[in-house]
Amino acid sequence: MSDQDKNGFKVEFKKSGLTAHWNLNVETLLELAEDAGVAADSSCQSGTCHTCLVKVIEGTFDYGENDVFAPESDDEILICSAVPTSNMVIDV
Ligand code: FES
């Protein structure tokens, strides 16, 4: 997927009540969340520790080339290593 295709997806951070649009200034959903003022937990930032794990309420995502220890369920996402592939609602 090209960067152009990803540009503009709306990401809603449900617990925080904040919304942001995916843009080319950030590389991960964690970065987008932090830029939007969401208090998201993180530690390793490399898809290993699961500190950043949040529930996916709606939408799809991708880890791209990131080598992550992915959760078994598609309902959970490691936001430190993921990008949206649709509009999303996540529980953070
Ligand atoms: S911060 Fe460790 S898996 Fe995301």
Side-chain angles (χ1 to χ4, degrees):
M1 178 184 301
S2 74
D3 286 338
Q4 190 60 42
D5 293 334
K6 293 185 293 191
N7 198 21
F9 291 138
K10 189 173 85 172
V11 181
E12 187 181 331
F13 304 101
K14 186 134 198 244
K15 272 187 197 155
S16 312
L18 297 166
T19 298
H21 285 269
W22 184 248
N23 64 78
L24 302 179
N25 298 322
V26 295
E27 291 183 7
T28 65
L29 277 163
L30 175 63
E31 227 178 302
L32 185 71
E34 288 174 340
D35 283 0
V38 174
D41 290 333
S42 69
S43 181
C44 73
Q45 305 210 357
S46 62
T48 305
C49 73
H50 285 204
T51 302
C52 68
L53 183 84
V54 299
K55 193 170 181 326
V56 176
I57 297 168
E58 210 176 288
T60 56
F61 58 92
D62 198 86
Y63 292 115
E65 301 295 307
N66 292 330
D67 189 17
V68 303
F69 181 53
E72 283 183 19
S73 166
D74 282 346
D75 293 347
E76 296 175 320
I77 183 173
L78 301 174
I79 60 172
C80 73
S81 302
V83 302
T85 56
S86 72
N87 291 338
M88 290 197 83
V89 182
I90 58 178
D91 198 25
V92 63

